[in-house]
Amino acid sequence: LTMLGNNVYSMPDVSRALSDIEFQIDNSTKTKLDIYKGKIIVLFFGYTNCPDICPTALLDISKSLKELGQESEKVQAVFISVDPDRDTPEHLNNYVRYFDDRIIGLSSDKRNIDKLHKYFQTKYELLNSKEQNYLVEHSSNLYIINENMIVERIIANGLPSTEITKAIKKIINII
């Protein structure tokens, strides 16, 4: 349970994770996600070679951002790679921009990715990583994180984009 003031949350407080772990935006720029404190973060773990779940999730995030209209300015969508060996920052950002310019793609080293997964209580695993076109088994949940860096809602893979939009609208009180 997470405490914030007098409120008790059953979702994880990921503020420490988002202020602790450094990500690569490009080859020379690093960032931490706490720079988006005050915004709603829509976060998804995946990788660019994913055959189905990741592109679908990114399409849903893009649809949701469009459904939000002007309110999308209060949101930062983030795609974090669980495949740092193949997903260079440049490749990752080209990939996410294909879906929507408002989504940022972030990469880090395996140690940081492992640490992040501990905070979020998720797992990922490289399958047959010796092969060139290996797959990565990973959590397919989408995390809606409020402006105080608390996970407000976890949206399971397969739910329509309207669920993402509803969760965001609930946080910014525009239902």
Side-chain angles (χ1 to χ4, degrees):
L1 293 182
T2 302
M3 291 286 297
L4 186 65
N6 292 328
N7 298 322
V8 177
Y9 293 90
S10 60
M11 296 290 195
D13 174 352
V14 293
S15 58
R16 185 159 171 229
L18 302 183
S19 62
D20 185 31
I21 297 171
E22 205 167 57
F23 297 95
Q24 290 286 139
I25 293 179
D26 57 39
N27 292 332
S28 60
T29 311
K30 294 182 181 203
T31 191
K32 294 180 182 182
L33 286 177
D34 63 353
I35 65 167
Y36 299 114
K37 186 173 178 142
K39 282 192 162 203
I40 295 157
I41 298 173
V42 176
L43 187 135
F44 188 77
F45 297 102
Y47 67 113
T48 62
N49 287 298
C50 181
D52 47 19
I53 292 168
C54 297
T56 302
L58 288 166
L59 275 174
D60 286 343
I61 292 167
S62 178
K63 283 182 198 170
S64 180
L65 291 171
K66 287 178 179 98
E67 289 168 7
L68 288 165
Q70 288 289 96
E71 298 296 329
S72 69
E73 293 172 12
K74 298 175 181 173
V75 177
Q76 181 56 63
V78 179
F79 181 80
I80 296 177
S81 174
V82 294
D83 188 10
D85 290 340
R86 291 186 294 186
D87 289 344
T88 64
E90 182 183 23
H91 177 65
L92 190 56
N93 278 295
N94 287 336
Y95 179 77
V96 295
R97 278 191 209 109
Y98 174 79
F99 295 93
D100 198 298
D101 285 343
R102 296 169 286 187
I103 303 170
I104 61 166
L106 297 175
S107 179
S108 196
D109 59 36
K110 183 174 178 355
R111 189 179 61 79
N112 279 335
I113 299 298
D114 289 348
K115 194 189 306 184
L116 190 63
H117 278 275
K118 247 184 214 151
Y119 280 117
F120 277 87
Q121 300 169 7
T122 63
K123 293 185 184 237
Y124 75 100
E125 183 181 353
L126 306 179
L127 305 175
N128 301 320
S129 61
K130 304 273 184 271
E131 295 176 18
Q132 186 178 357
N133 293 320
Y134 61 88
L135 295 174
V136 182
E137 200 171 89
H138 61 91
S139 162
S140 59
N141 290 330
L142 192 134
Y143 298 86
I144 309 290
I145 302 167
N146 71 21
E147 54 280 330
N148 295 310
M149 301 288 179
I150 310 262
V151 174
E152 191 81 27
R153 174 116 187 257
I154 299 172
I155 298 177
N157 176 46
L159 289 177
S161 63
T162 52
E163 286 300 310
I164 301 168
T165 308
K166 267 198 287 190
I168 293 168
K169 284 182 172 183
K170 186 176 178 187
I171 296 171
I172 50 182
N173 299 312
I174 57 166
I175 290 184

